[in-house]
């Protein structure tokens, strides 16, 4: 696994991959070890699916000891935990609420917003919460950052990729998704689908021709 300690609290992270590729496991492992505040917004309610399957809601952490699950934005703001899973009800699944969440993260500082899944957090490639842009463009000076996860890079705003510093690219079946990652990052290795539970890792500033292939330790 890459050395997560090289990822600074001021840097944005982008993880992409198809269903079952391993991106959620990687995000769990990385965020479980973070010292700053982490707010995960679980729009697709993966929390429910994990509980039904007897799986941990957040691998490496204990619910109600290390983190809590909440179902309203107000509960996020009132929480005393440093790690929070926010499962928004249907009435809070709007760009206005998501923008309010981004504004909260931006103003709190030293907070990472983990968005899973990014396609559900935006309204296509062109429309997204304005304060998400604020975090991506100017949040680094405040340690207000995002960890974006998506299955379909083609369906999300390019600004989320272009402003990230660390990229974890798992297997994706569609050529256009891999092409978008290559076009935005300049890493030709992203054209090559990695094996299951493996991923390409690229850090901004590294040689894009020498991107390394890593495998999850499950």
């Amino acid at each position: 696994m890459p050395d997560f300690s090289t990822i600074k609290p001021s840097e944005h992270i982008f993880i992409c991959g198809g269903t079952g590729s391993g991106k959620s496991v990687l995000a769990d492992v990385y965020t479980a070890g973070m010292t700053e505040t982490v707010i995960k917004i679980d729009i697709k309610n993966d929390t429910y699916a994990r509980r039904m399957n007897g799986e941990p809601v957040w691998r490496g952490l204990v619910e109600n000891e290390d983190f809590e699950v909440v179902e309203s934005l107000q509960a996020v703001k009132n929480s005393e935990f440093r790690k929070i899973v926010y499962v928004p009800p249907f009435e809070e699944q709007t760009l206005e609420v998501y923008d309010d969440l981004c504004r909260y993260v931006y103003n709190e500082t030293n907070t990472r917003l983990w968005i899973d899944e990014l396609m559900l957090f935006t309204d296509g490639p062109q429309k997204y919460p304005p304060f998400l842009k604020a975090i991506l463009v100017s949040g680094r000076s405040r340690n207000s950052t995002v960890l974006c996860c998506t299955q379909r890079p083609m369906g999300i705003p390019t600004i989320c990729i272009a402003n990230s510093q660390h990229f974890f690219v798992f297997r994706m079946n569609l050529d256009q998704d891999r092409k978008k990652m290559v076009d935005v990052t300049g890493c030709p290795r992203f054209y090559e689908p990695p094996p299951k539970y493996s991923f390409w890792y690229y850090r901004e500033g590294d040689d894009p021709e020498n991107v390394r292939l890593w495998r999850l330790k499950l």
Side-chain angles (χ1 to χ4, degrees), residues 67-133:
F67 73 96
E68 70 170 339
V69 177
V70 302
E71 296 183 355
S72 73
L73 180 55
Q74 190 58 49
V76 171
K77 297 178 179 180
N78 294 339
S79 178
E80 296 182 358
F81 281 79
R82 297 290 298 275
K83 291 185 171 67
I84 305 163
V85 178
Y86 168 36
V87 184
F90 182 75
E91 59 270 20
E92 292 194 12
Q93 295 178 22
T94 67
L95 285 182
E96 291 75 19
V97 172
Y98 299 158
D99 192 47
D100 194 3
L101 173 63
C102 289
R103 182 186 294 106
Y104 174 75
V105 170
Y106 183 83
N107 290 330
E108 279 292 287
T109 72
N110 298 311
T111 301
R112 190 177 294 278
L113 175 61
W114 171 7
I115 306 172
D116 184 23
E117 143 83 42
L118 186 58
M119 281 185 63
L120 301 177
F121 195 78
T122 63
D123 188 9
Q126 305 299 328
K127 191 174 182 180
Y128 47 86
F131 258 88
L132 175 59
K133 179 178 179 180

Side-chain angles (χ1 to χ4, degrees), residues 22-73:
K23 65 181 183 299
S24 294
V25 176
L26 178 72
D28 275 3
V29 172
Y30 167 64
T31 54
M34 290 179 60
T35 57
E36 63 262 42
T37 299
V38 181
I39 301 172
K40 175 184 179 181
I41 178 164
D42 178 17
I43 303 172
K44 59 185 181 181
N45 202 353
D46 183 54
T47 298
Y48 176 79
R50 291 190 184 194
R51 286 172 171 166
M52 288 293 292
N53 293 327
E55 300 173 357
V57 173
W58 200 324
R59 294 171 184 87
L61 300 179
V62 178
E63 187 171 353
N64 296 324
E65 292 184 15
D66 302 313
F67 73 96
E68 70 170 339
V69 177
V70 302
E71 296 183 355
S72 73
L73 180 55

Side-chain angles (χ1 to χ4, degrees), residues 10-14 102-103 105-106 111-113 115 118 121-122 128-148 156-165 167 204:
S10 61
E11 295 179 319
H12 304 303
I13 301 168
F14 190 86
C102 289
R103 182 186 294 106
V105 170
Y106 183 83
T111 301
R112 190 177 294 278
L113 175 61
I115 306 172
L118 186 58
F121 195 78
T122 63
Y128 47 86
F131 258 88
L132 175 59
K133 179 178 179 180
I135 295 175
L136 288 165
V137 174
S138 60
R140 294 185 62 184
S141 63
R142 310 163 61 86
N143 285 352
S144 300
T145 56
V146 291
L147 185 160
C148 294
I156 58 96
T158 300
I159 189 174
C160 299
I161 308 174
N163 283 277
S164 296
Q165 287 73 51
F167 302 87
E204 185 183 51

Side-chain angles (χ1 to χ4, degrees), residues 2 14-16 26 166-172 178 181 187-195 197-203 208-215:
F14 190 86
I15 303 176
C16 59
L26 178 72
H166 298 267
F167 302 87
F168 300 83
V169 180
F170 288 81
R171 189 177 190 89
M172 294 180 289
R178 296 194 297 272
M181 293 304 302
C187 294
R189 299 303 297 271
F190 291 165
Y191 276 127
E192 305 172 33
Y197 302 134
S198 298
F199 58 91
W200 299 109
Y201 169 63
Y202 170 64
R203 179 178 58 189
E209 298 289 342
N210 293 314
V211 175
R212 184 172 176 182
L213 183 67
W214 294 84
R215 181 172 175 81

